[in-house]
Amino acid sequence: QVQLVESGGGLAQAGTSLRLSCTVSGRTISSAAVGWFRQVPGEERDFVGAITRRGTIYYADFVKGRFTLSRDNAKNTVYLQLNSLKPADTAEYYCGVGLRGDSSAYPSSSASYDYWGQGTQVTVSS
């Protein structure tokens, strides 16, 4: 059984940083696509960034160099470094694992992911 656990969220002031972690068990992350999405109540889950099984990294346009995604295969963990945080970044952040062949082909689509974590809340105050 594949399980994902996100951590690292919390309350931050605008302009500061947080680092989110997504630790995966039951599957080696180097053989899967891992994506980060975020969601606010009443809205759809939006793509933030993803790393494919080959290590290619994609970001949503709104990231604009503020966020950095990385992978530690030894810890089976994917990190999302959030810098220069804005109040608009306030959301529940989720990571997902995609195991299918097309998961890495469409990393910005939530439909590409087979398993999800429980989410970690990020709240940015002005």
Side-chain angles (χ1 to χ4, degrees), residues 80-103:
L80 182 65
Q81 178 71 37
L82 311 176
N83 296 326
S84 302
L85 282 164
K86 305 175 181 180
D89 295 320
T90 295
E92 189 84 12
Y93 284 71
Y94 297 90
C95 66
V97 167
L99 306 178
R100 291 163 281 150
D102 63 356
S103 297

Side-chain angles (χ1 to χ4, degrees), residues 46-99:
D46 292 330
F47 173 69
V48 177
I51 182 167
T52 69
R53 61 182 64 190
R54 292 189 175 184
T56 303
I57 296 175
Y58 298 89
Y59 295 104
D61 289 342
F62 73 82
V63 169
K64 294 182 179 179
R66 297 187 300 124
F67 298 171
T68 303
L69 197 150
S70 61
R71 183 173 71 187
D72 186 334
N73 291 338
K75 296 182 178 180
N76 224 40
T77 298
V78 173
Y79 301 99
L80 182 65
Q81 178 71 37
L82 311 176
N83 296 326
S84 302
L85 282 164
K86 305 175 181 180
D89 295 320
T90 295
E92 189 84 12
Y93 284 71
Y94 297 90
C95 66
V97 167
L99 306 178

